[in-house]
Amino acid sequence: MSNGGRGPAVLIPGCELPKRARRCIMAPMFTLAALFRAIGAPLSIERIALDAPGPTEVLVKVAAVGLCRTDLHVMRGERRVAMTPMVLGHEVAGTVETVGTAVEGIAVGDHVVLTFIPGCGRCRWCAKGLHHLCAEGPRITHGPQLDGSFRRRDADGADVGAFCMIGGFAERTVVDQASVVVIDQEVPLDHAALVACGVPAGVGAARNRAKVKAGDSVLVVGCGGDGMNVVQGARLCGATTIIAADIVAAKLDWARGFGATHGVNAQGEALTRAVLELTGGIGVDHAFVCIDPPATLLPAFRATAKAGNVVVTAITPDTVKQIDIPPLELFVTQKAIMGAVYGFMSPRLQIPELLRLYRTGELKLAELITCTYALDEINRGYDDLQAGKNLRGVVVLDNSLV
Ligand SMILES: [Zn+2]
Ligand SMILES: [Zn+2]
């Protein structure tokens, strides 16, 4: 599915072609970046050309970037992207070094968090305040910038894509202003990076999608980056029973630190039975599927109380076309099954709000970081994620700002 090495940009069959490609004619700078070149291969650390920002773009010096599982899904071929090579990385905080001539509200020196879905501000969804559903969202796996052109090239001159229109596994990146949120300069940027993806995804799923209320009961299946933040989101909402479920015992211990009241080390029917026992046979008001939906959705659905909510926050490989839920069971139990991307709230609103909760001590961010890495250690970081060692690994590129 890929050329597996140096050469011209390769289009992956079945994916849409990048459109409106054009080259910037200004002299490029160079940046070190971790490139996805082939499914199943480690990321390749290379020096690539990076063009100056276009009129609506900014140049960002990356200070910290989180190692999210979504990038791992791309590396494994479970989340397909339209081309290689591509710079992955989408959980970014950094500082602005240059702004394009038409950029508004962003200045050189600003501290920023980048959003993995751009908010064009003009589509139906952005107009409704639903930036996380922006019409440009489906293009985040294609490779080009928001304007359809490329800003990066490898040593052989091949166009290099930017995952999520960000390409954050790099010393520097160029992104459209539609992907930029300016933040308070007091927040350390390794902590700020976490509110670019995992924290809003989890906290928002509890607060904005399920609308967990004080006194509710919650089940969180899979206590990784998203799930741990569902746990703390449920705690912020006042849930009194928060059941963490994972097959890695250490994650159940960590989950207690974020607000879990119970830990269940089980899967499948055993998970359903354990949750029903803990809830007097009723089930939980809200169940969150934060890992491997094909294996966990049905047990979570059956552990949910009648008229309860089941929220899916995790990616399913696109080779999986369906998950069976018995329709009669759905009908008679009157449960709701729903998806939540980016915590079901505009990141432009949610990111500053989460950082305010962090500054008052109500939201834990530092505690989420289990290990930090240099850019050239990134593959070790992903090995640690796959081994279940990391809640969140973070690549730190500017130690003065974390
Ligand atoms: Zn992510
Ligand atoms: Zn939009």
Side-chain angles (χ1 to χ4, degrees):
M1 296 178 78
S2 167
N3 66 344
R6 286 283 173 78
V10 174
L11 295 168
I12 293 181
C15 290
E16 260 187 65
L17 298 175
K19 293 172 185 165
R20 291 175 281 153
R22 70 170 169 75
R23 286 272 166 80
C24 175
I25 56 172
M26 294 178 66
M29 71 190 85
F30 292 89
T31 187
L32 209 58
L35 271 64
F36 168 62
R37 283 196 172 272
I39 290 168
L43 296 177
S44 172
I45 309 295
E46 298 178 27
R47 186 169 176 265
I48 60 170
L50 180 65
D51 292 333
T56 63
E57 294 177 335
V58 301
L59 171 66
V60 174
K61 185 171 189 285
V62 177
V65 52
L67 302 182
C68 177
R69 188 171 288 273
T70 300
D71 302 289
L72 184 61
H73 285 301
V74 173
M75 291 177 230
R76 288 173 167 177
E78 297 161 348
R79 180 81 170 97
R80 292 204 304 167
V81 292
M83 64 174 285
T84 58
M86 185 178 283
V87 184
L88 304 183
H90 62 281
E91 197 173 79
V92 175
T95 52
V96 175
E97 289 194 324
T98 311
V99 298
T101 53
V103 168
E104 295 179 6
I106 306 167
V108 171
D110 279 349
H111 289 198
V112 295
V113 166
L114 306 184
T115 66
F116 68 83
I117 296 174
C120 76
R122 297 182 302 278
C123 73
R124 170 191 175 87
W125 311 106
C126 283
K128 292 173 76 171
L130 303 172
H131 164 173
H132 54 291
L133 287 169
C134 177
E136 301 288 357
R139 291 207 290 122
I140 64 175
T141 56
H142 289 192
Q145 305 287 105
L146 186 60
D147 73 359
S149 63
F150 290 93
R151 295 289 174 276
R152 298 157 188 80
R153 286 175 305 286
D154 70 8
D156 295 331
D159 285 324
V160 174
F163 186 51
C164 297
M165 302 180 187
I166 288 178
F169 291 155
E171 295 169 322
R172 285 180 171 76
T173 189
V174 169
V175 299
D176 195 274
Q177 61 183 342
S179 304
V180 177
V181 176
V182 177
I183 62 162
D184 186 336
Q185 302 216 355
E186 298 296 311
V187 181
L189 289 180
D190 52 343
H191 299 175
L194 304 182
V195 298
C197 177
V199 174
V203 173
R207 299 200 320 162
N208 310 319
R209 195 57 168 137
K211 295 186 167 58
V212 174
K213 299 188 301 298
D216 281 354
S217 55
V218 167
L219 166 66
V220 182
V221 184
C223 293
D226 285 3
M228 204 62 79
N229 285 298
V230 174
V231 169
Q232 67 169 335
R235 174 180 53 79
L236 286 167
C237 293
T240 44
T241 300
I242 303 175
I243 303 169
D246 206 292
I247 54 173
V248 178
K251 291 188 178 175
L252 300 179
D253 291 337
W254 290 339
R256 289 183 188 276
F258 287 87
T261 56
H262 303 77
V264 172
N265 189 337
Q267 49 190 332
E269 290 177 13
L271 170 62
T272 304
R273 275 197 307 277
V275 174
L276 291 175
E277 274 173 29
L278 288 169
T279 54
I282 293 171
V284 290
D285 298 308
H286 314 275
F288 295 85
V289 172
C290 304
I291 189 92
D292 194 13
T296 62
L297 182 60
L298 184 59
F301 175 80
R302 287 184 164 157
T304 302
K306 288 189 281 189
N309 296 317
V310 182
V311 181
V312 176
T313 72
I315 284 180
T316 296
D318 51 18
T319 50
V320 178
K321 302 302 181 193
Q322 63 183 52
I323 299 173
D324 290 334
I325 297 288
L328 182 62
E329 203 172 317
L330 175 67
F331 172 65
V332 298
T333 60
Q334 302 179 55
K335 300 174 189 177
I337 302 174
M338 56 187 88
V341 174
Y342 230 149
F344 207 70
M345 179 175 174
S346 166
R348 204 165 288 286
L349 284 173
Q350 191 168 203
I351 286 169
E353 184 192 321
L354 289 170
L355 290 178
R356 284 195 293 276
L357 287 169
Y358 162 75
R359 299 206 55 192
T360 60
E362 291 165 86
L363 183 73
K364 296 175 190 284
L365 294 181
E367 296 83 350
L368 290 166
I369 300 175
T370 36
C371 197
T372 60
Y373 306 88
L375 184 60
D376 61 7
E377 297 173 322
I378 193 165
N379 290 304
R380 182 163 64 82
Y382 273 108
D383 289 343
D384 288 347
L385 177 64
Q386 293 189 82
K389 293 180 186 171
N390 274 355
L391 194 44
R392 200 49 129 206
V394 176
V395 171
V396 173
L397 294 110
D398 187 344
N399 281 299
S400 69
L401 295 170
V402 300

